[in-house]
Amino acid sequence: MDHTVSSPSTTDRLPVLFVSHGSPMFALEAGETGPALTRWGQALRQRHPGLRGVVILSPHWMAHGVEVMAHAQPPTWHDFGGFPPALYRLQYPAPGAPVLAQQVQARLAQAGIAATLNPERPLDHGAWVPLMHLLPQADVPVVQLALPVDADARAVYALGQALQDLRSQGVLLVGSGSMTHNLREFFGGERQAASYVVEFSRWVEQQVQAGAIDALLDWQQQAPHALRAHPTDEHFLPLYFALGAGAGSTPHYLSREVMYGMLAMDAFALQDE
């Protein structure tokens, strides 16, 4: 069965969300961020009973070009190894939304961005792990968007901008990444709080709060400890999807937690006042 997305009864635009999905163990070890997402999701559904779908971009789907998940019932993909058996038993059986996927494709085309539909793509952990906290009932249709392998911050920002009007049609747009993501340090066994993580994260917050998009687009040159926080940029780029989709909206931080000493779990909403 397809889940068609049409205009909800409310005229309010939905907010946009950036979440740090952290380690796959975030599904079991919720910390402070998981409950914060759950509370925010509950408030979202109360304020926006017309919530019809989620479009989420995750760095764990990287493609040569823009692809849009069009699976009617996407499986939960445990795309990781070496974790406790309990993690592999988790399922997030949210329905897909092929019609919404077509709408996403059409809006991208209107913005001059070619995209293809992928009817076989499952939900990777960058999508289903944060959604387990955000929308635990798994009853809202989900469409995942691929991160193009050659995209930079400006290109990902444009993807979000192209989909902005879906906010007025009952669709929640989510960028799922990580505010810091140095896997060599993570797997190196060091678990003491790293000062660079806080310095980098708070610099980003200052720019987000100020609406300083130019500075954020130049993050590799301007942010403190940029290359240590992100030796590669794929987990930072979903931030720009949220910023593009939420342009003109006010940021409200949900979490500034740091897990395992080096994974900043920052999450914030961009919403109209």
Side-chain angles (χ1 to χ4, degrees):
M1 178 183 294
D2 183 34
H3 293 255
T4 301
V5 175
S6 57
S7 297
S9 58
T10 179
T11 58
D12 291 342
R13 291 198 308 170
L14 266 73
V16 175
L17 192 63
F18 171 76
V19 297
S20 296
H21 61 253
S23 160
M25 286 299 293
F26 180 43
L28 297 174
E29 299 175 351
E32 300 172 2
T33 305
L37 292 177
T38 301
R39 290 191 297 270
W40 189 85
Q42 291 170 344
L44 176 77
R45 301 196 75 165
Q46 291 175 358
R47 181 173 178 181
H48 298 277
L51 178 63
R52 305 295 180 88
V54 174
V55 174
I56 184 167
L57 182 143
S58 157
H60 293 284
W61 182 16
M62 299 187 72
H64 293 283
V66 181
E67 293 190 28
V68 185
M69 188 188 78
H71 203 304
Q73 193 65 53
T76 302
W77 186 19
H78 300 86
D79 54 325
F80 42 74
F83 290 93
L87 190 56
Y88 299 91
R89 292 194 289 267
L90 295 178
Q91 296 291 317
Y92 190 77
V99 170
L100 174 56
Q102 293 171 0
Q103 294 173 348
V104 169
Q105 182 188 41
R107 279 160 178 77
L108 292 172
Q110 290 169 4
I113 302 170
T116 58
L117 299 178
N118 187 326
E120 300 179 353
R121 176 71 190 183
L123 285 174
D124 62 55
H125 78 273
W128 66 262
V129 167
L131 287 175
M132 285 192 75
H133 297 295
L134 183 68
L135 299 168
Q137 298 88 348
D139 58 347
V140 178
V142 178
V143 169
Q144 192 169 341
L145 188 64
L147 176 65
V149 295
D150 59 351
D152 60 9
R154 196 172 298 276
V156 180
Y157 187 87
L159 289 176
Q161 281 187 310
L163 301 181
Q164 272 196 75
D165 76 312
L166 291 174
R167 297 173 59 188
S168 300
Q169 299 181 24
V171 178
L172 177 66
L173 301 174
V174 181
S176 172
S178 189
M179 186 54 67
T180 59
H181 193 258
N182 188 320
L183 288 184
R184 186 170 69 176
E185 293 186 6
F186 177 78
F187 288 113
E190 180 65 41
R191 289 295 181 266
Q192 294 181 354
S195 61
Y196 82 88
V197 171
V198 175
E199 292 175 24
F200 177 85
S201 302
R202 300 289 64 78
W203 180 89
V204 173
E205 179 178 3
Q206 290 171 4
Q207 311 316 310
V208 169
Q209 296 285 9
I213 298 302
D214 287 342
L216 286 164
L217 290 171
D218 192 34
W219 69 280
Q220 289 171 313
Q221 300 301 319
Q222 297 194 33
H225 315 290
L227 295 182
R228 187 177 178 189
H230 289 280
T232 57
D233 66 359
E234 75 286 343
H235 272 73
F236 195 57
L237 290 177
L239 173 79
Y240 296 95
F241 178 73
L243 292 174
S249 296
T250 302
H252 295 273
Y253 263 68
L254 310 181
S255 176
R256 298 176 179 87
E257 182 180 17
V258 177
M259 300 184 79
Y260 314 114
M262 64 203 58
L263 287 182
M265 296 295 293
D266 291 40
F268 63 84
L270 293 157
Q271 56 196 60
D272 298 339
E273 295 292 341

